[in-house]
Amino acid sequence: MAGRRTNLALAALLGIAAASGVVAFGIGTAWVRPVLITHGLAAVAIIVLAPWKTAIASRGLKRERGGSPLSILLAALVVVTLISGIAHSVFNVIAVGPVTIMQVHVTAAVSAVIAGAVHVWQRPQRFRTSDLSRRNFLRVGALAGVAAFGYIAVEATTKAAGLPGGNRRFTGSHEQGSFDPPEMPVTSWLNDTPPTLGAAHLLTVTSPTGTGEMTMDQLMAFDDRVTATLDCTGGWYATQEWTGVRLDRLIDATGTSVRVVAATGYERRFPMADVGKLLLATHVGGRPLSVGHGAPLRLVAPGRRGFWWVKWVSEIVIDDRPAWWQPPFPLT
Ligand code: HEM
Ligand SMILES: Nc1nc2c(c(=O)[nH]1)N[C@H]1C(S)=C(S)[C@@H](COP(=O)(O)O)O[C@H]1N2
Ligand SMILES: [Mo]
């Protein structure tokens, strides 16, 4: 029956969209590109199947066998996810009222995955080995082809019409305030509020061989520079020239990983092999950091998404835990 096939395809597409979205969130290097293209293709394929699903759904709603409110909620969540995704990617809509469009997108998507799991559990669709027929492979191929056509059409129209989405980075982010730090947004991962740390701020360095402290004057004696792009999962990026001290200059102990800890408690752990690329910045664009951007000391982590760029750094800790010994995304 055609309904069963459509339902199975939609369940798979929702899973593919969610998985590729989460992966895209975690990655700041160019190989995220194919992941995001997969994300867009899955989204277009969901839209392509919408007419079939509407027919299945209206049949089901007439039968009223329970669970309908949840099914309608699921449909609404998917619609909100699709609209917010396109609003961000194509039109660079930044916020609706107090929430950012990416917060809407991710919250609706995660809720849709949960509602979708319950929905599938209430209405299991058996997968049969006969589904692996040549004819069904052709159907999947046709769906992929139509989705690719739709995706390319959206991208081409976006570029031709000069819409903001024509210039987005390989992460999908839009440029905001490059080489102009005051124009760069001030962002927190969740709810960190900027602490005011005076000139007397100290950096504590802890390793298996002991603990030391460094004053801001000592740190500012260095003049390491890097031009790097801060790319927030909120959907914007900015390239700046950062000045400060490379992390490897402050580390004379051996260990497996380094924790970079903020005065607020926010922290990320990095592999020891990365310390030559990480910079503790005191200045951006030749001027001292503002409090919002992490004064007096913030991490610059080239090639990593914004949530790794710990602001208001007060402590670095070297130890032997593996670098993956932390939640994949910050919890505070
Ligand atoms: C589960 C169902 C999901 C659907 C149906 C969906 C749908 C979409 C759509 C339609 C777009 C615009 C695509 C384009 O124009 O190229 C988009 C963009 C995006 N979505 Fe999702 N999404 C889902 C889940 C997620 C999740 C869970 C995350 C992150 C945790 C995420 C992160 C992103 C990002 C970063 C973009 C921007 C990509 C770009 O600009 O090309 N999505 N999404
Ligand atoms: N201490 C601390 N550092 C943090 C965050 C935070 O919430 N707390 N947010 C991170 C996120 S998600 C981003 S995108 C960047 C934003 O840096 P900006 O405010 O200078 O633009 O800081 C990162 N560093
Ligand atoms: Mo961010």
Side-chain angles (χ1 to χ4, degrees):
M1 181 192 139
R4 196 179 54 90
R5 282 197 306 259
T6 304
N7 291 337
L8 286 171
L10 280 169
L13 287 168
L14 193 63
I16 292 170
S20 57
V22 171
V23 170
F25 240 44
I27 294 169
T29 49
W31 68 263
V32 71
R33 189 80 215 285
V35 178
L36 270 184
I37 292 176
T38 306
H39 192 70
L41 287 172
V44 177
I46 290 173
I47 297 170
V48 170
L49 290 179
W52 281 274
K53 183 67 199 183
T54 308
I56 300 166
S58 46
R59 252 187 280 141
L61 288 175
K62 272 184 210 121
R63 263 185 272 132
E64 287 188 49
R65 51 172 180 158
S68 297
L70 181 90
S71 309
I72 292 166
L73 176 68
L74 168 59
L77 288 169
V78 172
V79 170
V80 171
T81 306
L82 288 167
I83 291 176
S84 55
I86 293 165
H88 164 264
S89 296
V90 177
F91 300 100
N92 193 15
V93 173
I94 290 165
V96 265
V99 283
T100 69
I101 198 83
M102 284 308 290
Q103 284 167 336
V104 173
H105 187 65
V106 174
T107 309
V110 170
S111 313
V113 168
I114 295 166
V118 178
H119 183 78
V120 169
W121 176 68
Q122 284 176 337
R123 299 163 159 67
Q125 299 283 278
R126 193 158 310 158
F127 183 83
R128 306 193 185 117
T129 38
S130 62
D131 287 339
L132 298 172
S133 66
R134 189 179 132 79
R135 188 182 276 232
N136 279 343
F137 275 108
L138 291 176
R139 284 199 176 95
V140 169
L143 178 60
V146 173
F149 182 82
Y151 181 83
I152 292 167
V154 170
E155 289 287 305
T157 312
T158 303
K159 285 212 165 75
L163 293 168
N167 300 318
R168 56 199 209 283
R169 204 171 174 242
F170 51 74
T171 55
S173 294
H174 302 264
E175 196 276 325
Q176 174 66 53
S178 287
F179 302 106
D180 189 6
E183 285 304 306
M184 182 171 78
V186 168
T187 309
S188 281
W189 174 254
L190 283 179
N191 56 2
D192 239 3
T193 30
T196 313
L197 310 167
H201 182 65
L202 295 174
L203 174 71
T204 310
V205 183
T206 304
S207 74
T209 55
T211 299
E213 279 182 336
M214 292 193 76
T215 64
M216 287 311 300
D217 280 344
Q218 287 171 321
L219 292 166
M220 279 191 280
F222 296 90
D223 189 27
D224 293 325
R225 280 155 201 262
V226 63
T227 301
T229 303
L230 171 51
D231 190 331
C232 176
T233 50
W236 58 269
Y237 74 88
T239 306
Q240 312 287 1
E241 199 200 19
W242 307 89
T243 314
V245 51
R246 259 188 6 239
L247 205 54
D248 59 349
R249 295 192 192 272
L250 308 180
I251 291 174
D252 58 5
T254 53
T256 310
S257 65
V258 191
R259 282 166 60 212
V260 178
V261 187
T264 57
Y266 184 96
E267 66 167 270
R268 294 307 286 164
R269 185 186 283 275
F270 299 83
M272 200 60 154
D274 278 18
V275 292
K277 288 183 292 183
L278 299 171
L279 183 84
L280 280 175
T282 55
H283 290 67
V284 59
R287 290 167 173 261
L289 291 169
S290 64
V291 170
H293 290 311
L297 201 60
R298 75 99 45 91
L299 191 70
V300 170
R304 289 180 183 262
R305 294 306 288 264
F307 64 84
W308 294 90
W309 295 46
V310 181
K311 299 191 277 191
W312 316 299
V313 175
S314 63
E315 210 183 338
I316 60 179
V317 184
I318 298 140
D319 65 27
D320 273 322
R321 293 251 169 84
W324 48 260
W325 188 257
Q326 65 183 333
F329 298 102
L331 300 179
T332 59

